[in-house]
């Protein structure tokens, strides 16, 4: 049978492991120095973006970068969002 001291030690050890595991991780190398930009849209918007990304052999991030650059240009701002050139279909 386990005594209370052993049980307390086990519980404290478990808490320490959980706290260490939940510490913030380093960002992925491709994300270093970048910031997340988000928005909430109907699920159909995401579905359409996925379809377009597949059709143009690129990522949703590439499509959004292209769209943001067009928005910036429309308003006379520098095009800052990196966007990979899409392949034509």
């Amino acid at each position: 049978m386990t005594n209370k001291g052993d049980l307390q030690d086990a519980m404290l050890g478990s808490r320490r492991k959980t706290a260490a595991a939940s510490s913030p991780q380093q960002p992925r190398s491709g994300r270093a120095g970048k910031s997340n930009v988000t928005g909430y849209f109907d699920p159909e918007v995401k579905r359409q973006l996925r379809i377009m990304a597949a059709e143009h052999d690129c990522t949703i991030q590439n499509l959004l970068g292209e769209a943001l650059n067009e928005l910036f240009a429309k308003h006379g701002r520098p095009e800052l969002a990196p966007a990979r050139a899409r392949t034509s279909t």
Side-chain angles (χ1 to χ4, degrees):
M1 188 163 154
T2 307
N3 70 32
K4 282 187 176 180
D6 291 341
L7 184 57
Q8 286 176 334
D9 289 340
M11 295 293 289
L12 287 174
S14 175
R15 283 188 192 153
R16 286 187 199 114
K17 288 179 189 173
T18 303
S22 65
S23 63
Q25 298 177 356
Q26 295 294 323
R28 294 180 190 170
S29 62
R31 295 180 182 178
K34 295 194 170 52
S35 184
N36 184 25
V37 179
T38 61
Y40 290 91
F41 302 94
D42 290 332
E44 186 60 25
V45 172
K46 184 174 182 180
R47 182 176 180 277
Q48 187 162 289
L49 281 169
R50 288 164 129 175
I51 292 169
M52 289 177 65
E55 289 173 346
H56 297 286
D57 192 28
C58 68
T59 64
I60 290 175
Q61 184 165 334
N62 293 133
L63 293 175
L64 293 176
E66 180 183 341
L68 287 171
N69 280 336
E70 288 184 18
L71 178 68
F72 295 152
K74 176 183 172 183
H75 293 278
R77 304 288 182 166
E79 297 178 22
L80 303 174
R84 183 185 72 135
R86 297 185 303 162
T87 59
S88 59
T89 55

